[in-house]
Amino acid sequence: MSNQIIEILKTLIKSPNLASKKWICQQYDSQVMNDTISTKGDASIVRVRGGSKNKALAMSTDCTPRYVEADPYEGAIQAVAETYRNISAVGAKPLAITNCLNFGNPQKPEIMGQIVKAIKGITEASKALNYPVVSGNVSLYNETDGKAIKPTPAIGGVGLLADLTKRSGFKFRYLNDEIYVIGKNDGHINCSIYEQEFLKIKECKNPPKVDLKDEKLHSEFVRELIDKQIINSCHDISDGGLAVALFEMTTKNLGCNLNFSELAKEKGEENLMNVLFGEDQSRYVVALNKALVYNLKNLADKKQIKITRLGEVCKEKMIIGSGEVEIKELIRINESLFESKFS
């Protein structure tokens, strides 16, 4: 099974949704005027000039159109929650959102229905997270030969990072750091990239639902961990699920030695693939020094938050049970698609 997990991971990370966009985005100067502090977290961080030298803004833009197409209401909630999660993952407090509602021809009842339900979802999530909509616009009639684009209510979120010295990136930083997942791992594979790319089920139904109470609780928990400098790395789990998030945290020099026995024990060995590649919401992966694991567990217990140990940071490989792969090979696979198609 270990080798099968690795082969599935290779398949997913070279798919268009998960393949690295590095070749495209690096052609733009993201360091204009040197105000960009970081683009290497789940949210980008930009310096605020004047006043405190340590103050910055964290920003993230998100939407998962396949979710919205399957269920406009739940998909829109997820888009709002994703920005909230990404901003929290760098240590910033989410403040507000803007939106761009990209849809087809609103004169068609089914398209107007998508718009109405998406707006309701955005409203619901914004209220629950205390994350108001302060601006927005629309882009309608997006069609080719009468066929509409996937409904895409793109959400742009902004948050405040009060102290730049207390922020987190998503890459592993230190050898032997312990790795934990925060949140419930139920293995929801409907509408996942695993379902589409590996199981070859193209029709997307029943996207993962966001429990907005968990979303708020887990995000506040992560921000506290970062503020108290308990964790060294933090990454939200989204497209591709837990296994893909773990790969995204690796570097050429730092990999991970993983043991999924606890996950398999909870959900059954037969459901492990769903757990590793399902796209359950409101989850994070964190890495921290072994000496601080007690602090993590103690705080999680107080807040009644589920955490599960996954393994530890190691050198240069992703090791899963008896299977292993060089991180350099995974990076090569992940970065090859767009450069080969467009260069």
Side-chain angles (χ1 to χ4, degrees):
M1 182 175 283
S2 299
N3 289 323
Q4 186 183 8
I5 293 170
I6 291 171
E7 290 308 309
I8 294 172
L9 179 62
K10 288 179 180 179
T11 298
L12 298 193
I13 63 175
K14 66 182 179 183
S15 65
N17 277 315
L18 292 176
S20 171
K21 314 302 186 294
K22 177 181 175 181
W23 183 84
I24 298 171
C25 67
Q26 283 195 345
Q27 297 187 48
Y28 168 74
D29 182 3
S30 62
Q31 305 295 324
V32 175
M33 297 179 69
N34 292 322
D35 279 334
T36 303
I37 302 296
S38 173
T39 59
K40 295 181 179 180
D42 285 325
S44 293
I45 300 173
V46 178
R47 178 184 291 108
V48 175
R49 289 188 175 272
S52 171
K53 292 181 180 179
N54 282 334
K55 189 180 289 186
L57 295 176
M59 290 169 276
S60 176
T61 303
D62 294 282
C63 186
T64 309
R66 67 182 183 277
Y67 291 175
V68 186
E69 184 178 46
D71 187 327
Y73 175 74
E74 293 294 344
I77 288 177
Q78 191 275 339
V80 175
E82 178 84 2
T83 66
Y84 190 88
R85 201 177 307 145
N86 284 336
I87 290 167
S88 296
V90 301
K93 181 181 179 180
L95 296 178
I97 62 172
T98 185
N99 63 65
C100 182
L101 306 181
N102 305 279
F103 290 86
N105 182 353
Q107 296 180 54
K108 295 178 179 178
E110 65 274 19
I111 302 298
M112 195 64 209
Q114 290 175 344
I115 297 170
V116 170
K117 289 177 182 178
I119 291 172
K120 286 181 178 178
I122 293 169
T123 302
E124 178 73 18
S126 296
K127 287 180 176 179
L129 299 173
N130 191 25
Y131 194 36
V133 181
V134 295
S135 66
N137 70 337
V138 298
S139 175
L140 305 176
Y141 299 95
N142 294 289
E143 296 186 346
T144 300
D145 296 330
K147 182 176 174 57
I149 62 166
K150 288 185 185 295
T152 309
I155 304 295
V158 64
L160 177 64
L161 188 59
D163 186 351
L164 274 170
T165 66
K166 295 179 178 179
R167 68 181 192 268
S168 179
F170 68 79
K171 293 292 187 180
F172 293 135
R173 295 175 62 195
Y174 302 111
L175 191 65
N176 298 321
D177 266 6
E178 295 275 300
I179 305 168
Y180 280 78
V181 58
I182 296 169
K184 301 170 187 173
N185 305 283
D186 292 327
H188 187 105
I189 63 165
N190 296 128
C191 284
S192 67
I193 293 177
Y194 170 69
E195 183 183 61
Q196 292 187 346
E197 296 291 336
F198 189 77
L199 300 181
K200 303 300 181 183
I201 299 172
K202 298 300 182 182
E203 188 176 6
C204 186
K205 295 181 179 180
N206 185 30
K209 293 183 179 180
V210 179
D211 184 320
L212 290 167
K213 288 183 180 179
D214 280 352
E215 192 68 58
K216 196 167 189 294
L217 179 64
H218 295 177
S219 293
E220 289 172 349
F221 177 56
V222 161
R223 296 201 300 271
E224 187 173 351
L225 292 174
I226 295 170
D227 182 63
K228 291 181 175 179
Q229 298 181 309
I230 293 173
I231 58 176
N232 294 322
S233 312
C234 181
H235 188 23
D236 85 304
I237 300 174
S238 55
D239 284 350
L242 176 58
V244 170
L246 287 163
F247 158 67
E248 290 171 343
M249 296 179 77
T250 63
T251 70
K252 289 180 180 178
N253 298 318
L254 293 175
C256 46
N257 187 352
L258 304 168
N259 185 334
F260 297 133
S261 58
E262 194 171 339
L263 291 176
K265 184 178 179 181
E266 287 178 11
K267 297 299 176 182
E269 191 80 24
E270 70 278 7
N271 295 314
L272 185 58
M273 295 302 182
N274 292 3
V275 172
L276 294 180
F277 298 104
E279 296 176 9
D280 305 287
Q281 299 295 298
S282 311
R283 295 184 298 159
Y284 299 84
V285 178
V286 298
L288 68 160
N289 188 288
K290 290 181 180 181
L292 295 173
V293 168
Y294 172 81
N295 303 61
L296 171 69
K297 290 182 176 180
N298 188 47
L299 197 57
D301 287 343
K302 285 181 179 179
K303 296 179 181 293
Q304 296 184 310
I305 293 173
K306 172 75 173 174
I307 63 170
T308 306
R309 187 183 184 276
L310 300 175
E312 62 185 18
V313 178
C314 67
K315 290 183 179 180
E316 300 173 350
K317 293 181 180 180
M318 187 174 231
I319 303 170
I320 303 172
S322 60
E324 63 178 55
V325 59
E326 295 282 341
I327 298 299
K328 288 181 181 179
E329 180 186 352
L330 293 178
I331 292 173
R332 179 189 60 77
I333 292 169
N334 183 237
E335 293 182 355
S336 63
L337 178 68
F338 284 93
E339 185 170 3
S340 65
K341 295 294 183 182
F342 296 107
S343 63

